Amino acid sequence: MSIISMLIKSYLVVLLLRTVMTRQELYFNPIGKMVAKLTDPLLEKMLKLNKKNADRSTLLFIILATALMALLYYAFGGMSLFISAFFAISDMLNFLMIFYIVSIILGIFAGNGRMSYFSMYFNRLGSLWVRAARSVFPIRSNAVAIPAIVFVFVFFTVVNGAVILFMQHGTDFTFVSSSLISSMFMSLKSGLLSIVSLLGIYIWIIIIRALMSWVSPDPSNPVVQTIIALTDPVLVPFSRIIPPLGPVDISPMILIFLLYFLKNLLLRLIGMFL
């Protein structure tokens, strides 16, 4: 079930990327070509949607993906359809939260040399949250990413908390405020665990990047370009801080160690306070 859920979310990422690409980018940009190859058979050939209508249908695809995940929970999780639906909604909210946090982080590097062709799309995806942050904090530098990430985390935590609250009590609003606080804490824990999972995935991406340096992969391969684009924002400045030991670059190993430490620290804090 987890593999199918991961595939559904991965395809949603591709669909969301498509919404911020122009028609020309879909057919001339390396990442755009990959996105078009994955989405055109469904959107243009099967559903006969043009670019504009396909972009407008993205919310519908998110709803359909959530419904499909609910059916997976129902079929394999041993839960009622009602509970499965709320688990799927909560899961989707956590996924979207992580997606927009990553988009804001990667979007910072738009315009930075070889990162620009990749991160500019995430810059567009995270621009709504950046504008919201700048409307409150007049920050013109990339430091605006910090309040923007906080905005994303708070927004999805509150919405997810409301979903959990409704799942527990329905339309019965006679409960005391402690139920609301409990639901928000559950949502906070769920969001932080999603960040922990993201750190685990990113550690593996860095490991793959480190292994790639030993085999000299094709730099024009879209998968290789994606891995490089995902890791360069962290590895490049980190390698400037940690000098190589002769011919060996030890910065990826130290970064992996630090990420493992951060991941375990978050898990301990979640266990202690949530």
Side-chain angles (χ1 to χ4, degrees):
M1 183 177 73
S2 59
I3 295 176
I4 299 175
S5 176
M6 185 175 66
L7 289 174
I8 292 171
K9 293 171 185 175
S10 298
Y11 198 72
L12 279 181
V13 169
V14 176
L15 288 174
L16 287 166
L17 278 170
R18 183 187 173 100
T19 63
V20 294
M21 292 180 175
T22 65
R23 189 78 180 175
Q24 290 75 20
E25 288 169 340
L26 283 171
Y27 297 104
F28 295 103
N29 182 281
I31 299 296
K33 288 180 181 179
M34 183 172 65
V35 169
K37 188 179 295 185
L38 290 170
T39 56
D40 280 356
L42 172 66
L43 299 177
E44 296 195 356
K45 295 181 181 178
M46 185 181 299
L47 299 178
K48 307 296 183 183
L49 297 175
N50 57 33
K51 177 70 169 61
K52 187 175 182 179
N53 289 334
D55 293 347
R56 289 176 176 175
S57 303
T58 304
L59 178 59
L60 177 61
F61 285 118
I62 293 174
I63 295 171
L64 290 174
T66 307
L68 181 56
M69 288 168 58
L71 291 175
L72 289 173
Y73 279 120
Y74 177 67
F76 300 103
M79 298 178 285
S80 68
L81 189 58
F82 178 79
I83 298 298
S84 298
F86 278 100
F87 265 101
I89 293 170
S90 180
D91 191 10
M92 183 59 69
L93 287 170
N94 281 327
F95 159 72
L96 290 173
M97 178 190 72
I98 293 297
F99 174 77
Y100 283 113
I101 288 175
V102 171
S103 296
I104 293 168
I105 294 171
L106 291 179
I108 292 173
F109 299 91
N112 289 359
R114 60 180 176 176
M115 286 296 301
S116 60
Y117 77 91
F118 183 85
S119 56
M120 66 180 176
Y121 301 127
F122 289 99
N123 181 275
R124 296 171 190 173
L125 285 164
S127 62
L128 172 65
W129 303 101
V130 171
R131 288 198 301 269
R134 281 193 169 131
S135 67
V136 179
F137 305 98
I139 303 172
R140 293 301 165 191
S141 67
N142 285 337
V144 73
I146 297 173
I149 289 171
V150 173
F151 272 32
V152 172
F153 188 82
V154 171
F155 174 81
F156 283 101
T157 297
V158 170
V159 174
N160 197 19
V163 169
I164 294 171
L165 190 66
F166 186 79
M167 180 180 68
Q168 292 177 333
H169 299 279
T171 56
D172 179 14
F173 297 107
T174 59
F175 51 85
V176 294
S177 59
S178 60
S179 298
L180 176 61
I181 295 172
S182 174
S183 299
M184 290 303 165
F185 268 106
M186 290 176 63
S187 177
L188 178 62
K189 180 178 180 179
S190 178
L192 290 174
L193 286 174
S194 296
I195 291 176
V196 168
S197 299
L198 178 66
L199 285 173
I201 294 170
Y202 195 65
I203 287 169
W204 278 108
I205 294 175
I206 293 174
I207 291 172
I208 293 171
R209 171 67 186 276
L211 293 174
M212 281 168 47
S213 64
W214 293 85
V215 297
S216 300
D218 180 9
S220 63
N221 186 292
V223 176
V224 173
Q225 291 176 343
T226 301
I227 292 172
I228 291 173
L230 287 172
T231 53
D232 268 4
V234 178
L235 279 176
V236 171
F238 200 76
S239 62
R240 294 180 186 141
I241 300 172
I242 309 297
L245 290 178
V248 181
D249 183 7
I250 63 170
S251 59
M253 290 184 288
I254 297 177
L255 179 59
I256 290 169
F257 172 78
L258 291 176
L259 289 175
Y260 263 118
F261 175 78
L262 179 59
K263 177 184 173 183
N264 290 330
L265 178 63
L266 279 174
L267 285 173
R268 288 179 67 87
L269 291 175
I270 292 169
M272 289 172 60
F273 299 106
L274 299 176

